[in-house]
Amino acid sequence: MTVAPVSPGFSTTVAALRLREWRLGPGQPTLVTDQFSAADFNLVVDDRADVHISSKDGRFYCGWFPQGRPGTDGEGWKIAVTGTATVPGYSISFDTETPAEIVAATVASVLQSSRPL
């Protein structure tokens, strides 16, 4: 029995390869920062105009670094949640050119998953 060899690659049509427009550029950071209430979060703007937001219990942090986070290669956003004694925390970073809408959606998801103790 012989099997015909399969040609490399994949088959497609020109219509399937149509171009798309993608959201680019940092956008409006207020889409992220406006999600935090003064009742539940602390907000600090430092001397570099970097914005630091933390939950009142200190377990959540969101930082916006318009000119890039010092000591990193273009990190523009940092989101971190501190873990517990039995479950590790996590952090998420986005570069300075990540659209704020994407960061805002991530923050919204993290905030939705939280609950008061």
Side-chain angles (χ1 to χ4, degrees):
M1 170 184 232
T2 60
V3 177
V6 177
S7 62
F10 60 94
S11 65
T12 188
T13 64
V14 172
L17 295 174
R18 66 184 174 271
L19 294 176
R20 299 180 64 91
E21 184 173 321
W22 298 94
R23 183 174 305 279
L24 298 173
Q28 295 296 320
T30 55
L31 294 173
V32 177
T33 58
D34 285 353
Q35 295 183 64
F36 302 102
S37 68
D40 296 320
F41 296 92
N42 300 312
L43 182 139
V44 174
V45 179
D46 67 19
D47 61 340
R48 286 178 21 104
D50 295 336
V51 176
H52 308 275
I53 301 167
S54 63
S55 59
K56 297 286 184 174
D57 67 0
R59 293 196 49 219
F60 172 86
Y61 171 80
C62 179
W64 176 50
F65 308 91
Q67 304 304 315
R69 185 173 176 208
T72 68
D73 186 23
E75 184 178 74
W77 293 92
K78 180 72 166 187
I79 300 166
V81 177
T82 303
T84 65
T86 57
V87 180
Y90 60 90
S91 66
I92 306 162
S93 298
F94 298 95
D95 67 28
T96 56
E97 292 300 311
T98 301
E101 293 87 348
I102 293 171
V103 180
T106 303
V107 166
S109 180
V110 172
L111 294 177
Q112 270 184 338
S113 70
S114 71
R115 60 183 167 74
L117 295 176

